[in-house]
Amino acid sequence: MSHSSYELKAVARERVGKGSSRELRRNGSIPAVIYGDKQAPISIVLNTNEVTKRIHAGGFMTTVATIDVGGEKVNVLPKDYQLDPVRDFVLHVDFLRVSANSQVSVQVPVHFINEEKSAIKIGGVLNVVRHDVELHCPADAIPEFITVDLAGHKIGDSLHISHVKLPNGVTPVIGDRDFTIATIVAPAGGVSEGEEAAEA
């Protein structure tokens, strides 16, 4: 499952525009918007430190949060955030409203296990084609990551989405083909005869 949920305090934002956004950031706040679920968007203001802490904790884009907007609690999923290209601080966050039966599309990281039980042990190189995979998930059951088991795979093998056991109710957004997540390739210098014998 995804990271545990958390709550952020927010206030509704009266003024919008570049000037007021700059003023907010100078005062330690971040402008944000909550949209979706067939309701009007709400412009809000969040504490910069709180949001930055959540982003750096990991799993920000795959964790449903609660935003308390002046006493009204809204369940949301972060959909996008902008960073200052020079100073790397958060400029703006977009949140999608979600309910118990919402289906969402999220990018979920890929983890690889059992490298030591594959051709990587004898010098094969794991060539990762997709570091994350976009999945359709119930909003309350977003996986923190998906796992690809490398055990028994040899040089030249491709690992596809069909090799991954996805949780119930979770499907890949790309549904028309068995796409590749990674391949195991020979190292640039090739594999020595002794290593090939070890693999055999």
Side-chain angles (χ1 to χ4, degrees), residues 19-147:
S20 66
S21 295
R22 278 196 292 269
E23 186 182 340
L24 284 172
R25 294 184 195 109
R26 277 197 299 272
N27 295 327
S29 299
I30 297 172
V33 66
I34 301 172
Y35 66 95
D37 206 24
K38 298 177 183 157
Q39 298 179 49
I42 309 173
S43 293
I44 59 170
V45 180
L46 296 164
N47 178 279
T48 300
N49 290 342
E50 279 295 308
V51 174
T52 304
K53 189 168 70 178
R54 291 297 173 186
I55 289 172
H56 290 312
F60 182 66
M61 303 294 284
T62 56
T63 304
V64 173
T66 302
I67 297 183
D68 183 334
V69 187
E72 183 194 350
K73 301 206 173 185
V74 185
N75 289 334
V76 298
L77 181 70
K79 287 305 286 181
D80 193 22
Y81 61 90
Q82 290 171 278
L83 295 176
D84 183 278
V86 178
R87 289 174 289 174
D88 204 34
F89 60 80
V90 184
L91 295 173
H92 188 273
V93 187
D94 291 346
F95 294 98
L96 177 70
R97 275 190 198 88
V98 295
S99 55
N101 55 3
S102 292
Q103 288 281 327
V104 294
S105 297
V106 290
Q107 294 280 358
V108 176
V110 179
H111 287 191
F112 296 92
I113 60 170
N114 290 325
E115 289 190 12
E116 73 285 353
K117 295 179 182 175
S118 72
I120 294 166
K121 185 179 181 183
I122 57 125
V125 176
L126 181 65
N127 174 36
V128 179
V129 177
R130 293 175 184 267
H131 291 276
D132 46 40
V133 172
E134 191 173 12
L135 301 173
H136 285 306
C137 319
D140 58 355
I142 299 169
E144 189 174 334
F145 54 84
I146 60 173
T147 303

Side-chain angles (χ1 to χ4, degrees), residues 173-190:
V173 169
I174 299 172
D176 60 349
R177 65 185 189 276
D178 189 15
F179 56 87
T180 303
I181 294 177
T183 57
I184 299 177
V185 297

